Each structure stands twice: as C-alpha cells, then as structure tokens.
Amino acid sequence: MKKVLFFAALICGLVIPNAKGQIGLLYNGQCYQPGETVVVAIQKTDHSVRSIGFRNMGSGIISGVVATMTEVETNGVVAWGMCTGDQCVATLTSAPFDLPPAEDYTTFSIDIDIEDVANPYGVYNLNLVSGLVDCGFVVRFEAGSQGINDVVANASVSAYPNPAQGQVSMNYSVEQPSTLAIYDAQGRVVRQMNVQGEGTLQVNGLAAGIYAYGIAGSQMHKLIVK
C-alpha cells in the first residue's frame, strides 16, 4: 500500500548562527528543533512515502541544502531513496535543493519499507547541511495501532513538573487502548506503558536530558529533566 503524506512547516523557526535564514520543521502540530526526536507512526506491512515540509523563515534564500538520513538502529524498517521536488535519488543523501525565504517546501520525501516483523521501528539521524545551514533531527518510525494520519481521538497527556527532577507525574486521558511512550534524544524508547481511560503514572529514574513523550498516534510533547 502506498500513500503520500504531507505536513507543512508553519511558523516555527530555528535560528542558525551566521545564517541568512531560519528553518522550521513541524510534524503533527509539534515544532521540532535540532537534536529533538520526531516520532512518526507507521503501520505494519506498509510501504509508504513520507514527506516532510521545511520552511525558510529568513529574508534570504538558503541555497544548496543537502539532507542526509543516517541509520542509527532498525528492526524491519528500511529507508531508501529521497526526493526533493522532481529530483529523486536511490540513496539516503538528497540532491541539493534551495529554500526560498518565507515559503513552504513540502516535497522532500523519503521512501519507507516496513517488513512484517514484530515491533518494526527505525531510528535515523536527519541532517541538513549547506554553507549556511548545519542542523539535525532524530526521526523515529514506529509501528502502532494507528497510521500517521489516523490521530487518536480525544487523547491527551501532560507531564509535571516540567522541567522535572527525579520524578515525573503523567496525567493521561484516552478512550481506546493505547501506548504512552517516552523517547530520549536518540529516539530510543526509555519508558513504554499501556494506557486507557484516565489516570496518572509516576515515572522515576530518568537521566538529565530532553525527552519526547506522547500517546501513539497523537501529538508528541517535550519533557526536560534536570
């Protein structure tokens, strides 16, 4: 099954030192900055093209941007081939592309194969480099009961305190059986809990750092542990 999914980069910006422009990446309502983990839900035995939108928030064009996906860890998820506009290459390094100022660029896409294995997932570093830009994100493709465009209805979760020290309380509300997960900055699952209905979970022992957390198929959030 193939499906092309687009998510535009809206007004969220990353300031690049000594750069003419800023780049924003938005997925599922969350604005991501370098080093943070973008969690993408996938379906088992699915072949898909995932398209990501970047937006140049600066006043000058950013020329010759090259995006590279580097495999960190995978189980049944294979990323191969990238397209920017009408230029497609059969490698995980894109052809150079330009980011005009204040315009959406939504045709950067990645071809993903998902094998029929238990718990398919893949973690990749996504880096954008040019003479003016050098930034990176962690992208984690993870199988769940929902596809990327099938957001869980009426699902919410919050963590407090945030920033936290030592212990974190997580309030959740979700109508159907779901998974609440916490990911570190490398996209690895550090906690995973089955949830349904309403409740509060206590999470202990998280090392200092920046984490992403959320219910599978819904918006991800940032957690800072000091």
Side-chain angles (χ1 to χ4, degrees):
M1 175 175 56
K2 271 199 172 185
K3 52 187 176 184
V4 179
L5 303 166
F6 297 93
F7 30 104
L10 301 179
I11 300 179
C12 63
L14 161 66
V15 176
I16 310 296
N18 302 318
K20 294 180 182 178
Q22 304 169 6
I23 292 180
L25 185 156
L26 185 74
Y27 167 64
N28 202 16
Q30 178 77 22
C31 182
Y32 293 89
Q33 296 192 18
E36 294 186 339
T37 301
V38 185
V39 181
V40 177
I42 56 177
Q43 295 178 346
K44 293 182 180 180
T45 65
D46 187 13
H47 177 102
S48 302
V49 176
R50 299 296 194 251
S51 295
I52 299 174
F54 299 108
R55 190 176 187 184
N56 175 6
M57 301 299 299
S59 59
I61 189 171
I62 303 178
S63 302
V65 180
V66 175
T68 300
M69 293 270 290
T70 304
E71 178 182 314
V72 176
E73 183 182 8
T74 65
N75 177 44
V77 174
V78 179
W80 64 278
M82 303 171 75
C83 294
T84 52
D86 58 357
Q87 299 185 65
C88 295
V89 291
T91 69
L92 291 183
T93 298
S94 75
F97 59 93
D98 297 337
L99 288 176
E103 291 186 14
D104 290 340
Y105 193 94
T106 57
T107 55
F108 176 91
S109 56
I110 308 161
D111 203 336
I112 301 293
D113 281 338
I114 296 92
E115 301 172 3
D116 189 10
V117 299
N119 288 322
Y121 68 88
V123 181
Y124 294 84
N125 286 331
L126 171 59
N127 291 95
L128 292 92
V129 178
S130 77
L132 297 175
V133 175
D134 187 355
C135 62
F137 305 88
V138 178
V139 180
R140 181 182 176 98
F141 301 97
E142 181 173 285
S145 57
Q146 294 80 29
I148 189 172
N149 59 340
D150 300 322
V151 176
V152 176
N154 301 319
S156 64
V157 61
S158 61
Y160 67 92
N162 190 4
Q165 290 181 330
Q167 179 171 293
V168 180
S169 297
M170 291 194 165
N171 288 337
Y172 64 86
S173 176
V174 59
E175 294 180 349
Q176 61 199 71
S178 302
T179 300
L180 194 166
I182 304 174
Y183 308 87
D184 66 13
Q186 286 71 49
R188 299 172 298 199
V189 177
V190 295
R191 295 287 192 280
Q192 185 167 293
M193 300 149 281
N194 295 324
V195 293
Q196 184 178 13
E198 297 182 355
T200 300
L201 294 169
Q202 303 297 324
V203 180
N204 299 307
L206 292 177
I210 298 176
Y211 297 86
Y213 73 93
I215 294 172
S218 65
Q219 180 176 341
M220 300 300 295
H221 307 274
K222 182 191 298 184
L223 170 64
I224 299 174
V225 177
K226 295 184 175 181

